Amino acid sequence: MVNTILVTGGAGYIGSHACVELLDSGYRVVVVDNLSNSKMESIKRVQAITGKSISFYQADIRDKQALTDIFTKEAISTVIHFAGLKAVGESCEQPLNYYHNNVYGTLVLVDVMSNANVKRLVFSSSATVYGESKQAQYSENFPLGAINPYGRSKAMIEDMLRDLSAADNIAKAKASWKIALLRYFNPIGAHESGKIGEDPNGIPNNLMPYVSQVAIGKLEQLSVFGNDYPTRDGTGIRDYIHVVDLVKGHIQAIAALEGEKFKWGGCNAYNLGTGRGYSVLEIIETFERVTGKKVNYKIAPRRAGDLAECFANADLAFKELNWKAEKNLENMIADTWLWQVENPQGYT
Ligand code: NAD
Ligand code: WQD
């Protein structure tokens, strides 16, 4: 029997890439998305890339009746939960909107899942849940301590899901919750076809879309936020991961939830990163080399809330999910650039 996966937020950047990977791996895909930060065009392109169709519902995950109807209609076996808001700055301005969409939205989702007795869940968490640490390489057992409403919404959801899983053990429930909390580092890149990619609204917050919009002439100049960090060249270091590698981690997580490791249920966190960091200046230099385009930049003051250096220890995902990132920085940049050149206005 073909397993059906419900992908919340499947029209978005990471969700659309996950849909391609799921369809290519032989799963049936159902998407629920309210299109608040995405366009239907991404779903059409996923279908064009794979030659397979998606069962799409335009609905908000906070709409319990709409979600219940989807679970009644479709024989869902596992949920990958991407839907949510993700801009750190915006979350400081509109915290309630973030808690409502992310925390309450997830609450409604797991409630409906529970009623439908669907108890396998892969959740999009983030490296932002970690607190500050002396070590720049983060392992899953490091203390949590998000510093903005967006990060705290992810941490609260993690807590809620851990509680849900723990309650199963107390109740000795037969169908135990099986949950993978995937903590993404910095996803960048696009599908190698150039047909789907990241399509930020307005001026991008994140480094890679900003760099690529400067290179194509849509934005004038990149501000490098600080060159006085205690790093090898003074600029911030992050663990950039190709979005296709990242979504492959979700396919592996689904397999793990069905396997021996989660036989008795559980809720485990896994870092998804490459395990190596690059500085902002290294990103610019590699971008210029790979694309042949100049990136106009200036050094600007530090951005509030930024860490000097942050990269993953991804050993646990290798050990327990049999997953590791395979694409290098050149691949990530070449695919970002192809998407940018072929879709200068994104999906519109
Ligand atoms: P995205 O905004 O492109 O995708 C999110 C999708 O969810 C969008 O299509 C949006 O329309 C939809 N959505 C939002 N609220 C919804 C709601 N209430 N009901 C139904 N649909 C809703 O973002 P993305 O980059 O693809 O991120 C996906 C997930 O991964 C998010 O949960 C995000 O927090 C998490 N994440 C992203 C990054 C990153 O750098 N992109 C890093 C770590 C974690
Ligand atoms: C990367 C580096 C900046 C923009 C954020 C969220 C995090 C996660 C991923 C969702 C840093 C520098 C950036 C610019 C710059 N999202 N930079 N000029 O901050 O690691 O993580 O996105 O979960 O929650 O916080 O990513 O791409 O914004 O920054 O110099 O215009 O690039 O200072 O060193 P970050 P980023």
Side-chain angles (χ1 to χ4, degrees):
M1 200 190 74
V2 179
N3 274 345
T4 301
I5 311 296
L6 175 67
V7 183
T8 75
Y13 169 45
I14 303 172
S16 56
H17 289 82
C19 289
V20 169
E21 213 53 43
L22 286 163
L23 290 167
D24 281 350
S25 307
Y27 290 100
R28 248 194 96 233
V29 173
V30 176
V31 166
V32 57
D33 197 305
N34 65 1
L35 302 181
S36 61
N37 196 36
S38 53
K39 304 212 169 56
M40 194 54 203
E41 180 63 19
S42 67
I43 296 288
K44 291 187 185 150
R45 300 223 187 154
V46 169
Q47 296 181 143
I49 292 168
T50 59
K52 293 179 181 162
S53 67
I54 287 175
S55 182
F56 180 81
Y57 296 86
Q58 183 171 352
D60 195 296
I61 55 161
R62 293 166 293 181
D63 182 342
K64 189 170 179 182
Q65 190 56 55
L67 270 192
T68 303
D69 291 348
I70 296 171
F71 277 85
T72 309
K73 263 198 177 151
E74 311 275 359
I76 291 155
S77 63
T78 301
V79 176
I80 308 185
H81 179 31
F82 293 109
L85 304 179
K86 62 162 182 179
V88 172
E90 188 183 65
S91 80
C92 299
E93 292 155 16
Q94 311 167 12
L96 296 187
N97 201 16
Y98 272 68
Y99 292 123
H100 205 261
N101 256 278
N102 295 2
V103 181
Y104 176 66
T106 305
L107 179 66
V108 173
L109 174 69
V110 292
D111 196 19
V112 171
M113 287 175 69
S114 186
N115 291 338
N117 205 23
V118 175
K119 293 190 162 184
R120 285 196 289 245
L121 176 64
V122 178
F123 172 62
S124 294
S125 190
S126 167
T128 347
V129 296
Y130 290 116
E132 234 186 294
S133 138
K134 283 203 185 80
Q135 257 172 281
Q137 186 172 30
Y138 287 73
S139 296
E140 289 81 353
N141 58 5
F142 279 26
L144 303 185
I147 58 159
N148 54 63
Y150 165 70
R152 277 191 282 273
S153 76
K154 292 288 178 187
M156 284 178 192
I157 295 168
E158 284 203 0
D159 278 339
M160 178 165 81
L161 297 176
R162 274 186 289 268
D163 287 344
L164 192 59
S165 165
D168 260 355
N169 295 335
I170 297 166
K172 300 211 170 12
K174 256 204 220 137
S176 302
W177 280 94
K178 299 170 187 217
I179 303 172
L181 310 171
L182 304 183
R183 294 179 181 156
Y184 311 160
F185 280 67
N186 292 59
I188 60 168
H191 190 260
E192 61 181 7
S193 64
K195 290 194 185 317
I196 56 171
E198 187 170 11
D199 183 17
N201 273 331
I203 296 175
N205 300 306
N206 296 116
L207 180 64
M208 186 51 66
Y210 206 108
V211 166
S212 94
Q213 291 194 16
V214 169
I216 205 158
K218 272 178 87 176
L219 294 171
E220 208 173 302
Q221 189 176 49
L222 170 76
S223 292
V224 173
F225 297 141
N227 68 347
D228 56 354
Y229 284 108
T231 59
R232 49 187 176 263
D233 62 19
T235 65
I237 292 179
R238 296 289 182 277
D239 185 337
Y240 298 93
I241 173 169
H242 196 297
V243 64
V244 171
D245 274 336
L246 184 86
V247 299
K248 284 183 175 165
H250 296 62
I251 309 284
Q252 292 302 104
I254 294 174
L257 295 185
E258 289 165 358
E260 206 47 38
K261 172 80 198 157
F262 283 85
K263 192 170 173 196
W264 307 110
C267 177
N268 292 354
Y270 299 98
N271 285 342
L272 297 187
T274 63
R276 99 158 265 194
Y278 288 96
S279 74
V280 178
L281 293 180
E282 287 164 349
I283 294 286
I284 295 171
E285 180 274 312
T286 313
F287 195 96
E288 291 182 335
R289 178 162 48 77
V290 169
T291 65
K293 291 280 167 186
K294 198 96 201 99
V295 179
N296 179 22
Y297 73 89
K298 65 168 187 209
I299 304 298
R302 291 180 179 193
R303 181 172 67 178
D306 272 354
L307 295 172
E309 185 168 3
C310 169
F311 60 100
N313 178 336
D315 292 351
L316 194 65
F318 182 59
K319 200 169 137 217
E320 296 190 359
L321 306 181
N322 191 25
W323 170 88
K324 71 173 169 30
E326 273 157 10
K327 292 178 187 272
N328 61 24
L329 185 61
E330 282 78 5
N331 303 143
M332 302 181 212
I333 289 173
D335 291 338
T336 300
W337 188 236
L338 179 65
W339 157 253
Q340 178 71 72
V341 169
E342 303 230 322
N343 307 272
Q345 304 307 328
Y347 287 114
T348 37

